[in-house]
Amino acid sequence: MSASETIHVDGVWQSAASGATREVLDPADASTLQVVSEGGAEDADAAVAAARRAFDDGAWPGTPVAERSALLRRVADLLQRDREEIALIESRDTGKTLEEGRVDVDDVTNAFRYFADVVMNESGGRVVDAGSPDVHSVVVHEPVGVCALITPWNYPLLQASWKIAPALAAGNTFVIKPSEVTPLSTVHLVKLLVEAGLPAGVANIVTGAGLPVGQRLAEHPDVDLFSFTGGLVSGTKAGAAAVSGAKKIALELGGKNPNVVFADACATDEGFDTAVDQALNAAFIHSGQVCSAGARLIIEESVRDRFVAELARRAEKIKLGRGTEDGVECGPLVSQQQLDKVEAYVASALAEGAQLRCGGARPEPSDVRPATGYFYAPTVLDGCHREMKVVREETFGPILTVETFRTEDEAVALANDTEYGLAGAVFSADTARARRVAARLRHGTVWINDYHPYLPQAEWGGFGKSGIGRELGPTGLDEYRESKHIYENLRPEPVRWFAG
């Protein structure tokens, strides 16, 4: 198999039907990492046809649950076998640090093991009382069919696992299109699925751009479920195409997430240090290229000056460089396009009156930071307000904006004043207040005295323009109620991802 044969259809690795290829770049220096196939609509059609045949022949959907579960566990073991190799691929492809890449592989492993357990522990169905002893009525779960899965460039392997593991556990077949910017770890994952013994046609991958591959998958009549994680504009268009075909859809479209810090969280030196450290973690992990990033610091006015001064001091000390280098804490942005976007957001914020406390520019080149890389310094913008573009829109970069409040009601109003509703956090030493505020936040995940942990057992969804839900049955009631995961750390402490 040549390096450019990255399309896998019906058990065969192949080039694009058109013969087109694309260079995948290393964001640390803009060099070519690998040449991959640039698929098109014809490749998408072939992949869907293979997935359709594999589902309709009944072999995989009819595979006993224990065997499906065992396969997921074999994949988990293979992920751990290849942990260092995959972490390196992820680091070089996305720009994140090697340690972040290792964490991603471990999280992906946990996801496969979790869904292997879930499917094994499901009951045989829910008996429904039909009101007659002569009638047996039962509600059972069956696979949806062919799933089209679209994943983003920031966490390509992790997001792929969140879709692939449950799809396979349930007995579905799928076609996945990773981001054209960061496809390499997903290609490796499909190789592991094949190695684990997944039948031909069950797992298919088409590397290529959203137009035409993603659009074709969204509108394809033989696709039963369409799952997309990515930007609001692209996701809205793809979702509309999927809805027009009456498909089941799942969309996660980003966020603009508040991190609310009350003064009482900073009443002790330890509490202050923890809140500052978590604010750094919230905003600057993976250079802020995280849908759940705590990009909006909403801080009580009485502690704002001290808090922001320490935050900026430590942000300036974050070590930028190639993610594979020892000691580097933050890598480059994923592309030149993303770098240009971040620079434009900072420029607009300064034009609208924001105060630059640190960052705001590309760093000087160094031995671990090539001049050709897409690096941008962690940036803290003080004196921000809701009318600013940088506060309203998802920047997806190392930009932290600062807003202040005086009362609890004002803090809640600010935090909820967004068209998104993906995630947020509350820091307070007052347990009753923290839980009260968390309950009032219109966000799918709310952390209390912590930021960024996730549990595979907890639902991940969003309010507003951040997500879409379920319907019918006992869980279908949740289609008419928003789901929220509240994660409370009863013993908060610094995470020390950034030394400072």
Side-chain angles (χ1 to χ4, degrees):
M1 184 182 78
S2 72
S4 63
E5 290 179 331
T6 53
I7 293 175
H8 186 74
V9 174
D10 207 12
V12 178
W13 289 101
Q14 56 197 257
S15 300
S18 67
T21 60
R22 172 190 292 267
E23 293 184 340
V24 177
L25 302 183
D26 183 338
D29 60 11
S31 65
T32 299
L33 276 176
Q34 187 174 324
V35 175
V36 300
S37 298
E38 180 74 354
E42 184 177 350
D43 302 290
D45 286 345
V48 171
R52 183 82 267 163
R53 288 192 299 271
F55 184 81
D56 290 348
D57 73 13
W60 180 248
T63 297
V65 167
E67 292 182 25
R68 278 187 260 139
S69 176
L71 184 136
L72 294 185
R73 291 193 170 280
R74 288 198 296 275
V75 174
D77 292 342
L78 292 172
L79 284 161
Q80 285 301 296
R81 182 198 68 185
D82 293 356
R83 183 174 184 259
E84 286 302 307
E85 180 184 358
I86 299 171
L88 180 61
I89 291 171
E90 201 75 328
S91 174
R92 295 196 66 194
D93 202 6
T94 67
K96 65 181 63 177
T97 66
L98 190 55
E99 183 57 30
E100 288 178 88
R102 293 185 182 110
V103 170
D104 284 358
V105 177
D106 291 343
D107 284 345
V108 170
T109 301
N110 290 339
F112 272 88
R113 289 175 177 161
Y114 169 71
F115 284 107
D117 288 342
V118 167
V119 73
M120 280 297 293
N121 293 328
E122 282 191 329
S123 67
R126 180 173 61 91
V127 176
V128 178
D129 184 1
S132 169
D134 299 323
V135 175
H136 177 68
S137 178
V138 62
V139 176
V140 298
H141 294 109
E142 294 187 349
V144 171
V146 175
C147 303
L149 314 176
I150 312 291
T151 53
W153 49 256
N154 60 334
Y155 284 88
L157 189 67
L158 184 62
Q159 291 291 336
S161 75
W162 288 10
K163 300 177 191 297
I164 290 174
L168 291 179
N172 298 289
T173 61
F174 70 86
V175 180
I176 189 165
K177 190 206 86 66
S179 167
E180 62 272 27
V181 180
T182 58
L184 302 183
S185 61
T186 309
V187 171
H188 192 98
L189 177 58
V190 173
K191 291 178 181 178
L192 296 187
L193 292 173
V194 174
E195 183 179 349
L198 196 65
V202 176
N204 305 273
I205 180 172
V206 179
T207 50
L211 284 174
V213 178
Q215 187 70 17
R216 180 56 180 155
L217 292 176
E219 66 190 18
H220 201 293
D222 281 339
V223 167
D224 300 299
L225 179 146
F226 178 75
S227 176
F228 175 98
T229 301
L232 176 61
V233 174
S234 298
T236 300
K237 291 179 180 178
V243 167
S244 68
K247 296 175 176 60
K248 292 175 69 68
I249 62 170
L251 304 176
E252 196 266 273
L253 305 177
K256 189 66 179 178
N257 313 294
N259 182 20
V260 180
V261 179
F262 285 90
D264 59 32
C266 305
T268 65
D269 290 343
E270 181 181 8
F272 177 81
D273 186 44
T274 295
V276 170
D277 191 70
Q278 290 282 5
L280 289 164
N281 173 51
F284 300 128
I285 283 289
H286 194 15
S287 294
Q289 299 171 118
V290 185
C291 60
S292 57
R296 294 176 62 204
L297 173 63
I298 300 176
I299 180 85
E300 192 164 352
E301 189 176 85
S302 62
V303 294
R304 172 260 195 89
D305 291 345
R306 178 188 174 211
F307 195 97
V308 175
E310 177 62 11
L311 188 72
R313 184 192 72 80
R314 288 191 54 187
E316 286 183 327
K317 293 180 176 293
I318 293 174
K319 299 171 184 175
L320 290 177
R322 187 188 295 276
T324 54
E325 296 286 344
D326 290 340
V328 164
E329 297 173 314
C330 216
L333 295 171
V334 76
S335 65
Q336 182 66 52
Q337 179 183 11
Q338 198 63 21
L339 177 58
D340 293 342
K341 178 181 174 182
V342 167
E343 288 187 313
Y345 273 118
V346 172
S348 73
L350 297 178
E352 292 176 318
Q355 303 160 25
L356 182 65
R357 299 299 295 268
C358 71
R362 303 185 191 188
E364 290 295 320
S366 72
D367 56 342
V368 298
R369 198 166 51 240
T372 51
Y374 310 130
F375 296 96
Y376 198 84
T379 299
V380 177
L381 297 169
D382 201 357
C384 295
H385 54 77
R386 285 293 298 134
E387 285 70 38
M388 292 178 172
K389 182 179 180 181
V390 74
V391 176
R392 295 194 314 271
E393 298 182 8
E394 185 177 38
T395 57
F396 234 62
I399 302 173
L400 177 62
T401 61
V402 181
E403 303 163 75
T404 58
F405 67 90
R406 293 183 180 179
T407 68
E408 182 179 312
D409 285 345
E410 186 180 2
V412 172
L414 281 172
N416 284 337
D417 188 8
T418 174
E419 64 179 4
Y420 294 100
L422 185 66
V426 181
F427 282 81
S428 175
D430 184 336
T431 299
R433 166 188 275 171
R435 293 175 179 173
R436 185 169 63 242
V437 171
R440 296 175 66 189
L441 294 187
R442 299 279 297 166
H443 300 276
T445 293
V446 179
W447 296 289
I448 295 176
N449 295 328
D450 212 330
Y451 210 103
H452 276 321
Y454 88 94
L455 304 175
Q457 303 95 321
E459 295 176 12
W460 181 260
F463 291 18
K465 294 183 178 180
S466 288
I468 219 159
R470 301 171 305 282
E471 194 168 33
L472 295 179
T475 60
L477 183 60
D478 289 337
E479 179 66 13
Y480 302 94
R481 300 186 299 201
E482 296 283 12
S483 292
K484 178 189 290 186
H485 174 213
I486 297 179
Y487 178 105
E488 181 174 2
N489 188 342
L490 300 177
R491 304 181 72 176
E493 59 184 15
V495 290
R496 288 290 182 254
W497 192 272
F498 304 114

